[in-house]
Structures are given as C-alpha cells and as structure tokens.
Amino acid sequence: MRRNLSITLLSLGHACVDVYQGAVASLVPFFVAERAYGYATVSGLVLAASLLSSVVQPAFGALTDRWSMPWLLPVSTLVGGAGIALSGTSGSYGATVLFLAVSGIGVAAYHPESARIARIASRGSHSAMGWFSTGGNLGFALAPLLVGAVVGSGGLHLTPLLALPALAGSVLCLPVLRALGRRHTAGASAAGACGADDRAAFVRLSLAVVCRSIVFVGLSTFLSLYAQQRMDGGAAAGTAALFVLYLGGAVGSVLGGTLAGRWGRVTVARWSYLVATGAVAGVLVAPGPALYLFVALTSVGLYVPFSLQVTLGQDYLPSRVGTAGGITLGLAVSVGGLAGPPLGALADATSLRTALAPLVLMPVLCWLLFRTLPEPAAPLPASGPPEVPAVTEPGPDATDPGTKGPEATAAEPGRQSGPH
C-alpha cells in the first residue's frame, strides 16, 4: 500500500474517532436545554470525558512502546463511539458521566498507537503527519453539525445514531493494518530512528501542550453558549461558532506542515501562539459577526503547532514514540478538560466572558515555553535489515523538506511484535 493511500485511510479513521471528542462540547447546549444543567454541571461532563483520558493516555503510550497493538485502532474507535451513543439514553447524571468517561477511554486508547502507525506510514514526513492530524480536526469540525442534525432534530434520545462514525472508522483502518501485517510477514523492516532522548525538552513541550489544551478545551466547552449570548441567537449561532473553531483547526494543521518545511517547527509554532494570543482576546471583545473571524484566527493559531508538536515529541523521545504520540496527540486535546469545572464555576458566579478571560494567558505561556525549545536534528538511522524489494510502498519523498528518512516499521527495534 502506497504512503498517500495509507495516510488518507488513517486520516479518515482519525476523523471518525475525533468526532467523539468534538461531540462532547457539541452536546453541552442540549444537556442545558433538556436537563437544565448549569455551567459547572455541564463542565463536569466535559471533565468526565477528559479526566480518565488524560490519566490513561500516557499508559497506553507506554504499552505501545513495549508491544505492537494495531488492533487498538478498530477496538478503541468502537468504544469511543459507544460511550457517546449511550450518553443521551439515560436521564441520570451519573450514568451520563460514566458513558462519557468510557468514550474518553476509547479515545485515549486510539491516539498513541495511531500516532505510531501514522509515523510508520508517513516515514517521518511533517506534511504527511499534518494530513493525519487534519483528519482529527475534520472530525472535530463535523461533530457540531452531526450532533445538531441528529440531536437537534429529535432530542438526546437519538444519540445512538452517533455510533455510525465509529462503525465506519473501525473498518477504514483495517486495510492499513493488513498491509503492515503483510510487510511484517514478508520480513520487510526499515530502520528506526535512533538518538538520545531529550527529556528536558520533551517536558517543556508537554507543558506547552497542556497550556494549549486548556485554552482550546475551555473555548470549545463554552463557545457555543457564549456565541448564543453575544449574537443574541439560538442554537444555530453556537453551532456555527463551534464549526468555525474546529474547521479552522483542519486548515491550521495542513498549514503547519507546509510552513515548518521552510522555517522549522519550533519557529512556526512560536509565532502561531503569538497569533493565537491576540485572536483569543479578539473573541472576548469583538462585536457582532466579527466574533467568527477571531474564532477562526484562534483555531488556526492553535492548530498550526498541533501536528508539529507530535513530530517534535517523537524526535525528542525517539526511543518512546508511542508515549510521545500519546502525550502530544491525545493528551493535547483531553487534559484541558481539567480546567472546565473551575471555569464553569466562575461563569456561574460572574459571566461567561469573565470566565473565559484567563484563557488569553495560555498561548502566551506556550510562546514562552517554545522560546526555550531546540529544533531537533534529523534522527540518525539505526542499523537494521534492508527493505524487501517486493514491498511496493515507496521510500521517503525527496521533495518533502520534512521527510527525515525511513522510520520505524511494525517491527521496530526493541519492541515485541504483537498480532497484526
């Protein structure tokens, strides 16, 4: 299977999974309308989806560094979809929290292994990883439209219909996994990246990931309600704001891979966070429809660094790409939910605008942290058996400035190979 087809299928599967991360925030207005939940209460739902995900995601990353577990992709996709599908079927707040937590675990299990497999399929290309990340962003963008079409038309009891993307995503990844299995059976192996881990740089990168996550999840949780207030409109105004926020992320991820090939990942990410700082401030003060413009700029500013952080993390920890991917790709989205309840409580006590104001500081902290990060050198190849000529997957694209050469395959050095 050629690289472009592999990345396309993985990107579509990533979209099907991240629909369920975007669906949590998209369901918030409906929980408020049908169950009369307050700001703090609905932020607790977002926390339920993100807390367990935040805790277990590094654990899944460590497991994928030790064992190859490609079966996690279809299984975790189905688990993530099942949790969201069941979330609206019970009027019990406790049951809703449980179902959203199950969905969060499914999403957590998906990202570390998918990042490892995408790294194999992309062969270290920044632009290819950007497209893989874009798939997740498109899933986010489609979530409010999907939830609005299903739940908006018939109420929360129709959430089981939201399981359809999970069924599609679990099927889309199978051809890629079969192709990797055939390569492994044929004995094809490319050298894995080697080099010393830069743990200090990875810790600083992870702190930037957390700060980025806080501002993004904080906005996505309350933006729909905030837009309804500011635009003096109904649910459509809030759905449109979320759609712009998530769609801008798809544009930002593709743009990030392109810009990084010219100016470097660290430099591009640093400037992007400066743009995001001004854009978040604009969301709070812009009058009328200008709100949507600043939402779009915020999204692009936060998502240009998104795929770059994934490859930076893998280059800072070349011996633990699963752990690096789990933190930078998965934790980047989920950990921000921890800030949801305090923001919700502040909104209940004051106003939404006051509660969202501290988010302006988060991109500033990201910018400061990126000023301390080095640009990793291209990883040196470790010795390993040569490629089998019969394998048709092409080598690195010489025209892609982000391509660093062959990366780890399904049988990476030091990994026990599991079933494919």
Side-chain angles (χ1 to χ4, degrees):
M1 181 176 292
R2 294 186 175 275
R3 183 178 71 180
N4 288 347
L5 178 57
S6 297
I7 289 297
T8 298
L9 292 175
L10 289 172
S11 298
L12 292 174
H14 194 187
C16 292
V17 171
D18 278 4
V19 158
Y20 299 111
Q21 297 203 79
V24 178
S26 303
L27 286 168
V28 163
F30 298 101
F31 284 122
V32 171
E34 291 193 28
R35 301 182 183 177
Y37 290 162
Y39 292 138
T41 304
V42 293
S43 64
L45 296 178
V46 178
L47 176 63
S50 59
L51 179 59
L52 279 178
S53 180
S54 302
V55 172
V56 304
Q57 200 132 211
F60 278 112
L63 288 174
T64 60
D65 283 330
R66 186 174 178 84
W67 295 287
S68 176
M69 297 187 291
W71 53 267
L72 271 178
L73 270 65
V75 171
S76 60
T77 301
L78 292 173
V79 172
I84 293 296
L86 295 171
S87 65
T89 59
S90 171
S92 165
Y93 183 76
T96 302
V97 167
L98 175 62
F99 291 139
L100 292 180
V102 168
S103 178
I105 292 175
V107 170
Y110 174 86
H111 282 101
E113 183 69 354
S114 68
R116 184 187 70 84
I117 290 176
R119 182 176 175 91
I120 296 169
S122 69
R123 295 182 177 266
S125 166
H126 301 328
S127 60
M129 286 297 289
W131 282 108
F132 172 68
S133 299
T134 297
N137 301 332
L138 288 175
F140 265 101
L142 291 174
L145 301 182
L146 182 63
V147 170
V150 173
V151 181
S153 62
L156 288 170
H157 70 279
L158 292 183
T159 54
L161 293 176
L162 298 177
L164 293 177
L167 297 175
S170 63
V171 172
L172 285 169
C173 66
L174 296 180
V176 180
L177 302 185
R178 282 197 296 267
L180 291 177
R182 286 194 297 269
R183 289 181 61 188
H184 176 66
T185 301
S189 176
C194 70
D197 291 344
D198 188 345
R199 297 184 180 181
F202 184 77
V203 169
R204 295 196 297 273
L205 174 68
S206 300
L207 290 174
V209 164
V210 170
C211 292
R212 178 209 170 275
S213 179
I214 290 173
V215 63
F216 179 77
V217 178
L219 278 176
S220 63
T221 300
F222 298 110
L223 181 62
S224 180
L225 297 171
Y226 180 70
Q228 291 179 37
Q229 291 181 5
R230 290 288 306 279
M231 302 300 294
D232 197 21
T239 298
L242 272 182
F243 177 73
V244 171
L245 179 69
Y246 295 154
L247 185 62
V251 175
S253 289
V254 174
L255 188 61
T258 302
L259 295 176
R262 182 170 183 179
W263 287 293
R265 290 169 289 178
V266 172
T267 299
V268 169
R270 190 165 61 232
W271 282 101
S272 297
Y273 282 125
L274 279 182
V275 171
T277 300
V280 174
V283 169
L284 299 178
V285 301
L291 167 72
Y292 295 106
L293 172 62
F294 283 101
V295 169
L297 288 175
T298 297
S299 182
V300 172
L302 292 175
Y303 266 99
V304 162
F306 188 77
S307 66
L308 307 182
Q309 291 171 165
V310 176
T311 58
L312 279 170
Q314 291 173 333
D315 287 346
Y316 289 145
L317 289 184
S319 69
R320 295 178 176 85
V321 295
T323 299
I327 292 175
T328 56
L329 183 60
L331 199 64
V333 178
S334 60
V335 74
L338 300 176
L343 291 176
L346 181 59
D348 283 332
T350 56
S351 68
L352 265 180
R353 177 180 287 183
T354 301
L356 295 177
L359 298 181
V360 177
L361 298 176
M362 294 298 105
V364 176
L365 295 177
C366 293
W367 175 76
L368 291 173
L369 287 164
F370 264 87
R371 283 180 59 86
T372 70
L373 291 178
E375 182 72 40
L380 298 173
S383 59
E387 290 278 1
V388 173
V391 178
T392 58
E393 185 172 351
D397 184 357
T399 63
D400 185 346
T403 300
K404 297 181 182 302
E407 296 294 341
T409 64
E412 292 172 321
R415 179 194 305 277
Q416 301 178 35
S417 179
H420 290 267

